[in-house]
Amino acid sequence: MQNANYAMKNLKYFIILLLFGFNSLFYSQSDNLDTLRKYSYEELENIFYSYKDGNQVENSKIIAKYYLQKARKEKKDKKYLAEGYVFNQYNQDLQVSLKYIDSLEIISKNFQDDRYPARIYLLKGLLYNQFDNETAALENFIIALKYAKEKIINGKSLLQIFRLPI
C-alpha cells in the first residue's frame, strides 16, 4: 500500500512538471511568433534563407511555418503563399515536401508569374535528386528546361535566372 501511495505521489509530481514544461514551451513559441510579427515578407524571406543556408534547420522551419501562416491569414498576395509553400518544402521528408510542391502547383495556375511552371519542376527535380531518385530528378529537370526555354524575363531566360548549368 505504501508503494502505491509513493507511486501516486511521484505521478502527481511528474504531471505537474510536465504541465510546467508544456506551459513554458507554449510561451516560448508564442514569444517567437510575437517577435516575427514585426517583420515584412521580404525580411522574413531574408531571415529564412540565412537560416537555411547556415544549416539552422529548426530556425528555418519556424520562419517557414510562420511565413505560410501569415500569408494564409492575410490573403494579401498569392505570391507570398507560393513562397510559403516553397520555404516549407525544404528540410522535410520526401512525401511532405511533395505535398507542399503540389500545393504550390495548384495555386500557381491562377496567377501571373513567368517562373511557373518551370520552378515547380525544378523544385521537384532538386528534391528527387536530394533523395537519390535520379530518374525522377532527370525527368523533372527536363520538363523544367522545356518551360524555362520558353520564358524571357527582363531580357534573361529562366535558365539564367535559375542559374541552371545547361
Side-chain angles (χ1 to χ4, degrees), residues 17-36:
L17 287 173
L18 192 62
L19 290 174
F20 278 125
F22 281 126
N23 196 23
S24 65
L25 177 65
F26 172 76
Y27 282 117
S28 68
Q29 286 180 347
S30 178
D31 289 344
N32 284 341
L33 295 180
D34 286 341
T35 302
L36 294 175

Side-chain angles (χ1 to χ4, degrees), residues 123-140:
L123 289 170
K124 283 184 179 180
L126 292 169
L127 183 63
Y128 282 122
N129 188 56
Q130 176 186 343
F131 285 93
D132 297 323
N133 186 339
E134 289 84 12
T135 303
L138 182 59
E139 289 169 358
N140 280 279

Side-chain angles (χ1 to χ4, degrees), residues 74 77 93 106 113:
E74 292 181 2
D77 190 335
D93 65 40
I106 290 167
D113 187 328

Side-chain angles (χ1 to χ4, degrees), residues 66-95:
Y66 176 75
Y67 189 102
L68 183 58
Q69 178 184 8
K70 178 178 178 167
R72 283 178 175 158
K73 182 179 177 187
E74 292 181 2
K75 299 178 184 175
K76 186 176 181 180
D77 190 335
K78 290 208 183 230
K79 74 178 183 181
Y80 299 121
L81 188 58
E83 286 307 307
Y85 289 131
V86 171
F87 295 166
N88 277 279
Q89 63 91 28
Y90 290 113
N91 300 313
Q92 304 284 350
D93 65 40
L94 179 62
Q95 294 308 313

